[in-house]
Amino acid sequence: MSYTYIILGLVFLFVFFSLFFTVRQQTAVSIERFGKFQSIRHSGLQLKIPVIDKIAARISLKIQQLDVIVETKTLDDVFVKIKVSVQFVVIKDKVYDAIYKLEYPHDQITSYVFDVVRAEVPKMKLDDVFVKKDDIAIAVKREVQESMETYGYDIIKTLVTDIDPDAQVKAAMNRINAAEREKVAAQYEGDAQRILIVEKAKAEAESKRLQGQGIADQRREIARGLVESVDVLNKVGISSQEASALIVVTQHYDTLQSVGQDAKSNLILLPNSPQAGAEMLSNMIASFAASNQIGEIVRKENAKKDK
């Protein structure tokens, strides 16, 4: 008799605990009665008839992410692997459709992603795939959204998270990029060299201009000094010709002294006899006279042509 009470007690406990069940937050549960759909239960403490009712399926209402890697070919015949991340969620009002209309939602979404990517990417060149990845993501979302909504799924976002061309293609792209950068660097270096040469030429021209101006000023001061020296010598009774000869001789010996002071100077053979100054002066006077005669002849010829 005691065993009967124990068995009845155990059955009662089993039935009592089977009467209640809990559903976690952001989860939905499908209840079936003898294999037929009965109801959808949401989070909280729930009741069901023991043995008759059973929990057929549990489904998450949280946002889920599915990563799909698609290998396809671009318009310029480059094979590329594209990773598409699809974020989706079960529509709360369509939990029945999500459980009973579609058995493998991940496979279904993957098939749609493959179909869209392999339809869009072959229309683009490789460079355009990188630039227009958002357009690919939008096209995937639009196509998958329309199809999966019938099965109780809402597509929150689609993202193209990785574009991976063949290794040789990536190496070629890196070489092209490096060549472009070297070209730009060479252009900048050429511009810098050109600016440097122009500025150096300007500096040399300015230096020569100032040097010429300095030489002209120097010669002007020398001529003024010679005139003053001749005037001083004239005042003491020395004629202009004698004064000029004296000045030439003085400069001649000053030049010899300057050459002799530098041990590394080149060998210069200059007339150094006592008559050297007079000869140099005579030669200078003869040169000036010949120059004046030539100038006079040229002026006469030009006057005849004008008549």
Side-chain angles (χ1 to χ4, degrees):
M1 190 70 178
S2 60
Y3 288 108
T4 303
Y5 288 129
I6 293 174
I7 293 172
L8 290 175
L10 292 175
V11 170
F12 174 78
L13 291 175
F14 172 77
V15 171
F16 178 79
F17 285 110
S18 298
L19 183 65
F20 300 97
F21 69 96
T22 59
V23 180
R24 299 184 65 179
Q25 187 68 29
Q26 291 296 97
T27 306
V29 171
S30 171
I31 302 297
E32 293 180 356
R33 181 172 296 171
F34 298 116
K36 182 180 179 181
F37 171 74
Q38 181 64 28
S39 62
I40 297 294
R41 308 291 179 85
H42 293 281
S43 59
L45 181 63
Q46 303 289 342
L47 294 172
K48 65 180 179 65
I49 300 175
V51 181
I52 297 176
D53 294 340
K54 71 171 185 176
I55 298 175
R58 293 178 182 269
I59 191 168
S60 175
L61 301 180
K62 297 178 181 179
I63 295 176
Q64 304 176 59
Q65 178 168 308
L66 175 64
D67 294 329
V68 182
I69 298 177
V70 184
E71 184 175 10
T72 184
K73 186 178 73 171
T74 62
L75 184 61
D76 46 355
D77 296 329
V78 177
F79 282 91
V80 59
K81 291 181 180 179
I82 298 178
K83 182 178 179 181
V84 181
S85 298
V86 182
Q87 298 174 351
F88 63 95
V89 66
V90 175
I91 301 173
K92 195 171 184 179
D93 297 334
K94 294 185 177 182
V95 175
Y96 174 85
D97 296 334
I99 294 175
Y100 291 100
K101 284 190 176 182
L102 194 61
E103 187 171 4
Y104 301 109
H106 287 192
D107 293 345
Q108 188 77 5
I109 293 174
T110 300
S111 298
Y112 282 118
V113 171
F114 267 80
D115 183 63
V116 176
V117 171
R118 288 182 172 175
E120 293 292 329
V121 173
K123 301 176 184 178
M124 307 176 184
K125 292 184 178 181
L126 180 60
D127 292 339
D128 294 334
V129 173
F130 285 93
V131 175
K132 298 181 179 180
K133 67 184 187 68
D134 290 340
D135 295 342
I136 299 174
I138 292 172
V140 172
K141 183 178 185 302
R142 182 176 59 250
E143 183 69 23
V144 178
Q145 177 78 38
E146 294 176 357
S147 303
M148 296 302 295
E149 192 172 1
T150 306
Y151 303 110
Y153 288 88
D154 182 28
I155 306 301
I156 304 299
K157 189 76 174 178
T158 57
L159 302 169
V160 176
T161 56
D162 189 21
I163 300 173
D164 186 19
D166 185 80
Q168 294 181 352
V169 175
K170 289 193 288 186
M173 293 175 67
N174 290 333
R175 289 198 299 271
I176 292 172
N177 194 331
E180 288 292 334
R181 293 182 181 275
E182 289 177 357
K183 179 180 177 182
V184 173
Q187 290 176 347
Y188 278 111
E189 289 178 359
D191 292 340
Q193 290 292 335
R194 184 170 61 254
I195 293 172
L196 182 62
I197 292 172
V198 171
E199 293 300 324
K200 184 177 180 180
K202 289 181 179 179
E204 290 180 356
E206 181 66 16
S207 175
K208 291 179 179 179
R209 186 185 68 82
L210 295 175
Q211 184 179 2
Q213 183 178 352
I215 292 173
D217 292 340
Q218 180 184 12
R219 289 176 178 174
R220 189 180 302 110
E221 293 300 322
I222 291 173
R224 185 179 293 112
L226 291 174
V227 171
E228 292 177 356
S229 299
V230 171
D231 291 339
V232 171
L233 292 174
N234 288 336
K235 290 179 180 180
V236 296
I238 299 175
S239 66
S240 298
Q241 186 174 0
E242 293 174 346
S244 299
L246 178 61
I247 292 172
V248 169
V249 170
T250 303
Q251 290 182 343
H252 173 73
Y253 285 109
D254 288 343
T255 302
L256 292 177
Q257 182 180 3
S258 298
V259 172
Q261 288 177 352
D262 192 354
K264 296 182 180 180
S265 62
N266 296 325
L267 177 61
I268 300 176
L269 298 177
L270 294 174
N272 53 10
S273 63
Q275 295 82 14
E279 291 177 356
M280 292 175 59
L281 179 60
S282 299
N283 292 333
M284 291 175 58
I285 294 173
S287 298
F288 290 146
S291 177
N292 291 332
Q293 290 177 0
I294 293 172
E296 186 65 26
I297 293 172
V298 171
R299 283 195 295 274
K300 290 180 179 180
E301 292 292 331
N302 291 334
K304 290 180 181 180
K305 291 180 180 180
D306 293 338
K307 292 179 178 181

